[in-house]
Amino acid sequence: MDNETVKHLWALRKVNHALIEGLKLAIFVLEHEKELTPKRRESMVNSLKDLISHSEEIYREGATTH
């Protein structure tokens, strides 16, 4: 495998891991909604939005290199 392919696969692995963690976090929030402060929920939402943004950025880059 060439270096660019390895870098791309590594980035996809990191994104997949982050998305799984985001899903775990979403489940936690749904299960413990009443226990979380509005500030904590907002922080979690912002983190998930960042994960989505990074994922979209990586997939966009992958689509343009073909």
Side-chain angles (χ1 to χ4, degrees), residues 1-12:
M1 248 187 277
D2 63 59
N3 196 34
E4 286 300 312
T5 301
V6 171
K7 285 178 10 181
H8 182 73
L9 290 174
W10 183 252
L12 289 176

Side-chain angles (χ1 to χ4, degrees), residues 21-36:
E21 290 301 311
L23 290 172
K24 289 178 184 177
L25 181 61
I27 290 168
F28 176 85
V29 169
L30 290 171
E31 291 178 339
H32 299 91
E33 178 185 0
K34 294 178 183 176
E35 299 170 24
L36 296 172

Side-chain angles (χ1 to χ4, degrees), residues 18 35 37 44 50:
E35 299 170 24
T37 66
M44 291 176 169
D50 286 344

